[in-house]
């Protein structure tokens, strides 16, 4: 212990030496580990890059955005100046029916799309863990779209759902009326959901199949001995055993879909009639199209706070698995 | 029921059903699985075949609807020729690859020591630092991208590779998973290494890293895929075509040449190839460590 690394030596050398010093007296450890000071120094060294990254890439921009929500822009273009405005931006946003509509739409979209995506992913996972002919092939088929980045899915469905596109071609061939999809306020958001779900369902299926394979076989055997049918086995064995993976993918899906941006920006521009404007796109449009950076930052702040709350839940779920 | 229990105690439920009914059930379920599989695959096949026909035929072949809507009567590689020729898509793909790979290297160089320190060292505030890193980096950087883009522009990092790379290097799940794995390494191994005179850096690189390849591959994949599919960030940060990544290059084709769907499909498929290969090869590393880790640990 007396050989505790002296100050002013090179860090690597200090590490080596203090390592050796504790090696000299490994038995002299009554509960407390040797070299708390050394641990702290190593911690600073090892955690430094990550901490610097989180400060520069998360905290500083967040603080900057938070600060700028307290100001408003006066004037236009290069002559514009920032003037302290207190909570005026928050008042303006939260009394703006368009913004409140956006907020509500974002939340409603997530309350629908995430459970639906996970429920479908779960249903398909349960189907594709059964011993069926060609099971591996069907799995790969469902999985293929999730290798397509969101921008690719947007392009595909942007064309497929055109007025003169193949989906309407199929509807017409079936004797049904062609649908407007992205150009209708009633259908645009659902079409956006389709863009996200085509690639999302297979992705979450991957995790759920992993979870299903981990469920103890004996539980199924016990259920079958008790005479439980397929549905009963599903509700009494599969779902309870899958609670954690299901919750986890549900929250992770929500994190991803809360900032859904690509199809909105590429396909609908928030329209028609604001019907696809969600928080992320709203903040983008306020900042870059409407030149209202302070209001944009206010929207960003609200979005980030909601995200933080969701991620905190996700973190707790992860920790629980310890 | 009772008879079965006493005579064949480990037989699964299905085997108790009369054979013909079970056969029908399996057939119906297989049919359902096939229909679902094909429904998911079909749009991708349609894109692939659409990229191999003259661009105007993608929509032109819809009416009347026939098998020709899907399968080209004229096959051509012109779309790919245009993508790699005048549209300069090869350059964008190379940019995406460069950004994603460097992000993986830097991301691991940042996450591995952090996770290691948070596993083996005792210091005040350890759990707090852990929560800060994981939660902070789990908030998708899209959420904070707009103010960050303004900062990066002030720092003159707009239109630079460094600017594209930096936001993607921190990944909360990567740090979490790495620590989770490191905790599984028996501490007696580390103590033995300390007795042998090894320093922390050596113990980390020679002992913990080789024992945690699954978590490393998983972290690398998370970082890679995050950067490969990034859209908002390069959209905000990069205006220079030379530095632009593939995802934005495709979006640009979408608005510029509104009617050449063949080229767009080709581009969309090209950016899917890399993640497809990675995910199909490394699938098991990807799925194991997140959702199901708790069931095993």
């Amino acid at each position: 212990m007396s050989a505790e690394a002296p100050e002013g030596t090179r860090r690597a050398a200090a590490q080596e030496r203090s390592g050796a010093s504790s090696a000299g007296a490994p038995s002299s450890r009554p509960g407390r580990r040797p070299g708390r000071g050394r641990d702290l120094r190593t911690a600073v060294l090892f955690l430094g890059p990550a901490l610097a990254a989180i400060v520069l890439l998360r905290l500083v921009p967040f603080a900057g955005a938070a600060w700028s929500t307290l100001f408003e822009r006066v004037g236009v273009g290069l002559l514009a100046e920032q003037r302290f405005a207190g909570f005026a931006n928050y008042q303006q946003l939260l009394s703006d029916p368009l913004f409140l509509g956006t907020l509500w739409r974002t939340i409603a979209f997530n309350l629908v799309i995430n459970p639906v995506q996970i429920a479908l992913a779960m249903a398909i996972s349960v189907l594709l863990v059964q011993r069926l002919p060609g099971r591996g092939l069907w799995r790969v088929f469902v999985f293929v779209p999730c290798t397509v980045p969101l921008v690719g899915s947007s392009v595909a469905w942007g064309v497929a759902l055109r007025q003169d596109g193949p989906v309407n071609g199929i509807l017409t061939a079936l004797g049904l009326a062609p649908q407007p999809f992205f150009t209708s306020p009633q259908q645009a958001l659902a079409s956006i959901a389709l863009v996200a779900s085509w690639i999302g369902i297979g992705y979450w299926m991957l995790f759920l199949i992993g979870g299903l394979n981990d469920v103890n076989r004996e539980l199924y055997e016990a259920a079958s001995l008790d005479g439980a049918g397929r549905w009963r086995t599903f509700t009494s064995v599969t779902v309870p055993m899958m609670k954690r993976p299901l919750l986890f993918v549900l929250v992770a899906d929500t994190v991803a879909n809360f900032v859904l941006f690509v199809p909105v920006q590429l396909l609908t521009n928030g329209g028609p009639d604001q019907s696809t404007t969600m928080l992320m796109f709203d903040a983008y449009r306020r900042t870059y199209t409407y030149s209202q950076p302070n209001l944009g930052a206010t929207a960003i702040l609200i979005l980030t706070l909601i995200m933080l709350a969701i991620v905190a839940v996700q973190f707790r779920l992860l920790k629980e698995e310890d | 029921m009772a008879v079965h229990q006493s005579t064949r105690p480990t037989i699964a439920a299905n085997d108790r059903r009369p054979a013909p009914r079970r056969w029908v059930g399996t057939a119906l379920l297989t049919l359902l699985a096939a229909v679902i599989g094909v429904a998911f695959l079909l749009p991708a096949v349609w894109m692939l075949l659409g990229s191999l026909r003259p661009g105007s035929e993608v929509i032109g072949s819809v009416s009347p609807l026939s098998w020709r809507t899907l399968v080209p009567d004229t096959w051509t590689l012109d779309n790919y020729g245009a993508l790699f020729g005048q549209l300069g898509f090869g350059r964008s793909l190379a940019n995406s690859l460069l950004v994603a790979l460097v992000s993986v290297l830097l991301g691991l160089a940042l996450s591995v020591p952090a996770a290691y320190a948070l596993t083996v060292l005792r210091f005040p505030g350890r759990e707090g630092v852990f929560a800060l890193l994981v939660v902070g980096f789990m908030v998708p950087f899209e959420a904070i991208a707009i103010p960050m883009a303004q900062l990066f522009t002030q720092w003159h990092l707009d239109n630079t590779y460094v600017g594209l790379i930096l936001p993607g290097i921190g990944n909360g799940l990567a740090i979490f998973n790495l620590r989770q794995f490191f905790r599984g390494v028996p501490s007696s191994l580390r103590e033995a290494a300390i007795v042998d005179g090894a320093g922390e850096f050596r113990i980390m690189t020679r002992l913990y890293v080789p024992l945690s390849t699954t978590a490393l591959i998983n972290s690398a994949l998370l970082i890679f895929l995050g950067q490969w599919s990034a859209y908002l960030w390069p959209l905000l940060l990069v205006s220079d075509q030379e530095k632009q990544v593939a995802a934005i290059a495709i979006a640009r084709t979408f608005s510029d040449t509104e009617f050449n769907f063949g080229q767009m499909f080709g581009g969309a498929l090209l950016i899917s190839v890399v993640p497809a290969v990675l995910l199909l090869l490394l699938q098991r590393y990807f799925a194991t460590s997140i959702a199901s880790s708790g069931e095993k640990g």
Side-chain angles (χ1 to χ4, degrees):
Chain A
M1 296 306 274
S2 58
E4 193 65 55
E7 299 297 325
T9 43
R10 290 189 54 216
R11 292 156 176 163
Q15 266 174 48
E16 291 292 333
R17 182 147 353 110
S18 55
S21 81
S22 55
S27 53
S28 70
R29 190 190 310 157
R32 247 189 72 154
R33 293 164 36 82
R36 263 180 171 265
R38 182 197 58 143
D39 266 13
L40 193 61
R41 203 158 40 237
T42 315
V44 169
L45 204 66
F46 278 41
L47 283 164
L51 287 173
I54 198 120
V55 169
L56 286 179
L57 303 173
R58 292 293 194 282
L59 299 181
V60 168
F62 181 75
W67 182 243
S68 75
T69 62
L70 302 176
F71 291 82
E72 64 185 0
R73 219 164 120 115
V74 187
V76 269
L78 291 171
L79 294 172
E81 53 180 83
Q82 299 280 340
R83 195 166 62 195
F84 188 75
F87 291 106
N89 287 318
Y90 293 90
Q91 273 171 0
Q92 190 182 335
L93 269 191
L94 294 175
S95 61
D96 178 356
L98 280 182
F99 181 78
L100 291 177
T102 298
L103 195 61
W104 165 239
R105 193 176 301 112
T106 311
I107 292 168
F109 178 77
N110 277 279
L111 286 179
V112 174
I113 186 175
N114 299 312
V116 168
Q117 275 189 2
I118 299 305
L120 287 174
M122 180 67 178
I124 297 173
S125 304
V126 169
L127 177 64
L128 294 183
V129 292
Q130 311 294 321
R131 281 194 211 87
L132 298 174
R135 175 176 78 169
L137 190 67
W138 316 131
R139 272 192 204 178
V140 170
F141 281 10
V142 177
F143 176 69
V144 160
C146 78
T147 67
V148 179
L150 197 46
V151 67
S153 176
S154 302
V155 164
W157 291 103
V159 180
L161 297 180
R162 279 166 61 102
Q163 198 74 53
D164 53 2
V167 173
N168 271 332
I170 293 170
L171 289 179
T172 313
L174 292 173
L176 300 166
Q179 298 298 315
F181 299 116
F182 289 114
T183 53
S184 141
Q186 283 76 40
Q187 295 177 8
L189 198 56
S191 307
I192 297 272
L194 177 66
V195 171
S197 302
W198 180 51
I199 56 179
I201 289 174
Y203 185 81
W204 300 118
M205 178 191 82
L206 206 60
F207 297 103
L208 292 175
I209 285 185
L212 284 170
N213 286 335
D214 286 346
V215 176
N216 196 336
R217 293 257 150 259
E218 286 167 19
L219 289 172
Y220 288 120
E221 281 160 17
S224 91
L225 288 179
D226 289 344
R230 281 191 176 178
W231 178 249
R232 186 71 209 278
T233 310
F234 178 75
T235 53
S236 322
V237 178
T238 313
V239 170
M241 291 309 293
M242 287 290 288
K243 204 175 137 202
R244 273 181 190 167
L246 275 172
L247 264 178
F248 180 80
V249 294
L250 181 64
V251 178
D253 197 19
T254 309
V255 171
N257 279 326
F258 227 89
V259 288
L260 190 65
F261 175 79
V262 186
V264 180
Q265 191 255 350
L266 199 58
L267 298 176
T268 62
N269 245 309
D273 284 347
Q274 310 292 330
S275 64
T276 55
T277 301
M278 288 184 281
L279 263 180
M280 189 68 241
F281 182 74
D282 187 59
Y284 168 81
R285 195 172 51 181
R286 279 179 202 276
T287 311
Y288 291 96
T289 312
Y290 300 161
S291 296
Q292 305 169 324
N294 305 93
L295 280 177
T298 311
I300 281 293
L301 207 75
I302 293 171
L303 172 69
T304 310
L305 290 176
I306 298 174
M307 296 299 302
L308 268 176
I310 304 171
V311 167
V313 172
Q314 192 181 15
F315 183 63
R316 283 207 51 181
L317 284 171
L318 279 170
K319 289 272 278 185
E320 262 180 33
E321 291 191 354
D322 281 8
Chain B
M1 199 57 235
V3 176
H4 276 293
Q5 237 164 8
S6 55
T7 55
R8 306 192 299 173
T10 56
I11 298 290
N14 295 351
D15 295 329
R16 284 189 284 105
R17 302 196 174 176
R21 238 187 90 198
R22 208 177 77 223
W23 185 85
V24 171
T26 305
L28 283 177
L29 285 179
T30 308
L31 184 68
L32 184 64
V35 167
I36 291 171
V38 169
F40 272 87
L41 187 70
L42 196 60
V45 172
W46 173 65
M47 271 167 94
L48 173 65
L49 296 175
S51 73
L52 296 170
R53 74 198 314 176
S56 60
E57 282 185 17
V58 172
I59 290 297
S61 63
V62 167
S63 162
L65 197 74
S66 74
W67 67 283
R68 280 290 175 208
T69 307
L70 189 63
V71 182
D73 42 11
T74 325
W75 295 78
T76 171
L77 284 173
D78 284 356
N79 295 318
Y80 290 95
L83 276 169
F84 284 108
Q86 78 234 33
L87 292 172
F89 195 67
R91 166 108 204 177
S92 311
L93 274 177
N95 286 339
S96 282
L97 207 57
L98 175 78
V99 167
L101 287 176
V102 176
S103 300
V104 167
L105 290 179
L106 286 179
L108 289 182
L110 174 138
S111 316
V112 169
Y116 177 79
L118 290 168
T119 310
V120 302
L121 303 179
R122 306 274 174 278
F123 57 90
R126 185 176 77 156
E127 292 308 304
V129 170
F130 178 60
L132 171 74
L133 287 178
V134 173
V135 171
F137 280 135
M138 269 200 315
V139 173
F141 76 74
E142 278 84 354
I144 203 81
I146 292 171
M148 197 152 67
Q150 290 158 350
L151 269 180
F152 269 51
T153 307
Q154 281 173 30
W155 297 341
H156 303 291
L157 290 172
D158 51 329
N159 285 315
T160 64
Y161 290 116
V162 176
L164 282 172
I165 289 163
L166 279 182
I169 61 175
N171 188 298
L173 274 181
I175 294 176
F176 189 93
N177 288 337
L178 282 167
R179 187 173 100 137
Q180 201 75 342
F181 249 80
F182 288 168
R183 288 172 91 175
V185 177
S187 58
S188 57
L189 287 179
R190 176 166 174 269
E191 277 154 23
I194 290 177
V195 170
D196 289 344
E200 299 288 4
F201 186 76
R202 218 180 135 80
I203 297 175
M204 177 180 80
T205 50
R206 299 287 164 82
L207 189 62
Y208 278 71
V209 166
L211 286 172
S212 312
T213 39
T214 302
L216 281 173
I217 292 174
N218 168 263
S219 303
L221 260 179
L222 286 174
I223 297 170
F224 188 95
L225 294 176
Q227 283 290 57
W228 185 262
S229 54
Y231 180 89
L232 178 59
W233 182 246
L235 177 74
L236 298 181
L237 197 76
V238 173
S239 52
D240 178 0
Q241 286 270 37
E242 293 284 291
K243 300 265 172 61
Q244 199 46 283
V245 297
I248 302 292
I250 289 173
R252 203 156 281 157
T253 350
F254 192 78
S255 33
D256 281 359
T257 52
E258 173 87 60
F259 290 102
N260 198 340
F261 297 130
Q263 288 170 8
M264 271 163 35
F265 286 0
L269 286 175
L270 284 173
I271 59 166
S272 311
V273 169
V274 174
V277 170
L278 286 176
L279 282 172
L280 288 174
L281 285 179
L282 304 173
Q283 226 194 95
R284 73 197 170 91
Y285 296 103
F286 195 54
T288 48
S289 55
I290 301 182
S292 55
S293 60
E295 305 295 326
K296 286 172 182 159

